């Protein structure tokens, strides 16, 4: 983050987030303490020597800034715009009405011994399953953190859609998702049982052989935006790459704050130097009280024959155009 972005963030936290300077610690130093925790994942006793402050002061201001960042979430979350018919981006132009991509990722946490089994994911790690939605610019528009690592991705998505103030997908629009989710209204998944991962495709004998494989490879290249956003998020914030010393509730709030600050950096800075460190394509994926139904939004996650037929038509159009240009 450059000086201009840092100064603007301090201004927002003070005037919108309610962050208040104390007699001895200015707002800029409070924010610097918070960023050092996130970016370098240092312990409290190390931080107090770096900033020449007591451990109590370091801990206090970390939590105060965390609260302030979460209070301005409405300013930092982006409003995704659907792909229109005039889109010239070859990767996105086939997915008219698409809002972006969604997927889940595991973030390691420390959990109490009596509930550790619930937080152990399929990889054997103790973690939470974080659902995130991003637009075509790798900015997050929705983040849901708190589900145990053992929870299935589809279960987390159903909760996100049905909870109050949850994920809202306007009727007629959709997000790209992998085979771990249901192909239905609002969520476009690839064909199951068909090659999908990018490293399985190339030229010659490994080129797409039919319309389903062509659809899958184009779907994978476009949906890869969420994989890149996860890689950039974890590369930027070291606290997300290993379990922290905070309780699960606090760690979930930290995850939210990291996503919000990720958006702020990408929308404020003209150039994000860390983006060059992330490969263009990454191989990934593969597998509350209910709100009142709103006819203008998708309010459930379920299969639909109409949606399946629409995907079939889209895949055939892609294949016919591709075959005609060979």
């Amino acid at each position: 983050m450059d000086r201009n972005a840092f100064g603007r963030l301090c201004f927002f936290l003070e005037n919108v987030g309610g962050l208040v300077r104390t007699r001895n610690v200015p707002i800029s130093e409070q924010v610097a303490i918070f960023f050092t925790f996130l970016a370098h994942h240092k312990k409290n006793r190390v931080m107090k020597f770096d900033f020449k402050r007591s451990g109590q002061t370091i801990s206090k201001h970390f939590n105060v800034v965390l609260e302030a960042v979460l209070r301005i979430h409405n300013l930092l979350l982006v409003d995704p715009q659907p792909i229109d018919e005039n889109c010239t981006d070859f990767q996105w132009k086939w997915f008219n009405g698409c809002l972006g991509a969604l997927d889940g990722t595991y973030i390691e946490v420390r959990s109490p011994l009596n509930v550790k089994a619930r937080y152990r994911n399929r990889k054997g790690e103790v973690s939470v399953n974080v659902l995130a939605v991003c637009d075509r610019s790798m900015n997050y528009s929705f983040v849901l953190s708190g589900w145990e690592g053992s929870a299935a991705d589809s279960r987390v998505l159903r909760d996100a859609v049905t909870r109050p103030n949850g994920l809202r997908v306007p009727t007629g629009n959709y997000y790209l998702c992998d085979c771990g989710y249901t192909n239905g209204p609002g969520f476009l998944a690839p064909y199951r049982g068909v090659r999908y991962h990018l490293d399985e495709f190339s030229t010659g004998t490994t080129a797409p052989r039919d319309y389903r494989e062509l659809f899958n490879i184009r779907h994978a290249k476009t949906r890869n935006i969420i994989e890149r956003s996860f890689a950039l998020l974890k590369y930027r914030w070291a606290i997300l790459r290993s379990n922290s010393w905070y309780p699960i509730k606090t760690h979930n709030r930290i995850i939210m704050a990291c996503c919000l600050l990720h958006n702020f950096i990408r929308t404020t800075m003209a150039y994000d130097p860390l983006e060059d460190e992330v490969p263009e394509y990454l191989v990934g994926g593969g597998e509350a009280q209910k709100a009142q139904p709103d006819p203008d939004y998708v309010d459930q996650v379920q299969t639909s024959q109409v949606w399946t037929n629409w995907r079939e038509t889209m895949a055939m159009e892609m294949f016919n155009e591709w075959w005609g240009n060979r």
Side-chain angles (χ1 to χ4, degrees):
M1 178 182 290
D2 57 28
R3 292 185 178 182
N4 178 58
F6 183 81
R8 294 186 63 183
L9 178 61
C10 293
F11 176 83
F12 283 129
L13 292 176
E14 179 180 10
N15 294 276
V16 183
L19 189 62
V20 180
R21 67 167 296 157
T22 63
R23 184 178 61 180
N24 298 317
V25 185
I27 288 179
S28 58
E29 184 176 353
Q30 296 179 38
V31 177
I33 290 172
F34 184 71
F35 268 95
T36 304
F37 263 118
L38 299 186
H40 301 286
H41 196 192
K42 293 184 177 181
K43 293 184 178 181
N44 187 282
R45 61 174 176 266
V46 177
M47 291 284 292
K48 69 180 184 180
F49 285 106
D50 290 344
F51 285 87
K52 303 298 186 293
R53 302 288 184 181
S54 67
Q56 181 182 7
T57 299
I58 295 292
S59 179
K60 170 189 173 183
H61 289 294
F62 172 83
N63 287 281
V64 168
V65 177
L66 176 60
E67 293 289 341
V69 171
L70 295 179
R71 277 196 292 268
I72 63 172
H73 70 277
N74 289 331
L75 294 177
L76 302 182
L77 288 175
V78 300
D79 185 17
Q81 300 300 317
I83 304 300
D84 57 27
E85 298 178 352
N86 300 322
C87 180
T88 57
D89 190 326
F90 181 78
Q91 242 176 240
W92 291 90
K93 70 176 185 177
W94 286 103
F95 301 98
N96 187 27
C98 179
L99 297 170
L102 66 84
D103 201 1
T105 186
Y106 294 125
I107 303 293
E108 293 185 37
V109 296
R110 293 181 184 270
S111 68
L113 185 62
N114 60 330
V115 295
K116 183 167 290 189
R118 290 163 43 193
Y119 284 89
R120 196 172 300 280
N121 59 38
R122 65 175 185 271
K123 300 178 181 179
E125 303 166 345
V126 178
S127 65
V128 290
N129 191 348
V130 181
L131 173 68
V133 179
C134 77
D135 64 4
R136 59 192 295 190
S137 299
M138 292 195 293
N139 295 319
Y140 294 104
S141 58
F142 179 82
V143 180
L144 175 60
S145 178
W147 275 91
E148 301 90 339
S150 60
D153 289 344
S154 57
R155 177 67 185 89
V156 179
L157 178 59
R158 285 196 298 271
D159 176 55
V161 171
T162 57
R163 67 167 49 202
N165 301 321
L167 178 61
R168 295 292 175 260
V169 186
T171 303
N173 297 124
Y174 58 91
Y175 287 102
L176 301 179
C177 56
D178 63 18
C179 290
Y181 302 93
T182 300
N183 181 66
F187 307 100
L188 182 62
Y191 288 97
R192 296 193 179 192
V194 180
R195 286 189 299 167
Y196 181 72
H197 295 292
L198 296 177
D199 57 354
E200 297 176 337
F201 292 95
S202 185
T203 58
T205 57
T206 57
R209 294 170 294 188
D210 55 34
Y211 70 94
R212 289 186 175 88
E213 289 192 351
L214 180 66
F215 175 84
N216 273 14
I217 187 174
R218 289 187 174 175
H219 184 286
K221 285 184 176 181
T222 308
R223 193 198 65 85
N224 196 260
I225 197 73
I226 187 67
E227 302 288 353
R228 295 187 67 217
S229 70
F230 284 149
L232 182 59
L233 182 72
K234 294 179 181 180
Y235 186 78
R236 191 190 308 277
W237 309 117
I239 199 169
L240 302 182
R241 298 198 294 267
S242 61
N243 50 22
S244 72
W245 302 274
Y246 296 99
I248 291 179
K249 182 177 179 180
T250 303
H251 201 109
N252 286 324
R253 297 164 70 85
I254 291 173
I255 294 171
M256 289 288 298
C258 288
C259 294
L260 295 174
L261 293 174
H262 166 93
N263 282 6
F264 178 81
I265 292 172
R266 292 190 57 79
T267 54
T268 304
M269 294 175 56
Y271 170 67
D272 186 357
L274 291 185
E275 187 174 349
D276 295 336
E277 305 293 331
V278 179
E280 182 179 1
Y281 292 115
L282 297 173
V283 179
E287 319 180 3
Q289 177 186 359
K290 294 186 178 180
Q292 294 298 322
D294 190 331
D296 295 330
Y297 294 93
V298 176
D299 59 354
Q300 54 187 339
V301 181
Q302 62 179 6
T303 58
S304 168
Q305 188 60 42
V306 174
W307 194 260
T308 301
N309 294 339
W310 174 73
R311 180 181 65 176
E312 196 83 359
T313 302
M314 180 192 298
M316 288 297 297
E317 290 177 354
M318 285 185 185
F319 185 78
N320 291 335
E321 187 267 349
W322 176 75
W323 187 261
N325 293 333
R326 293 190 64 180

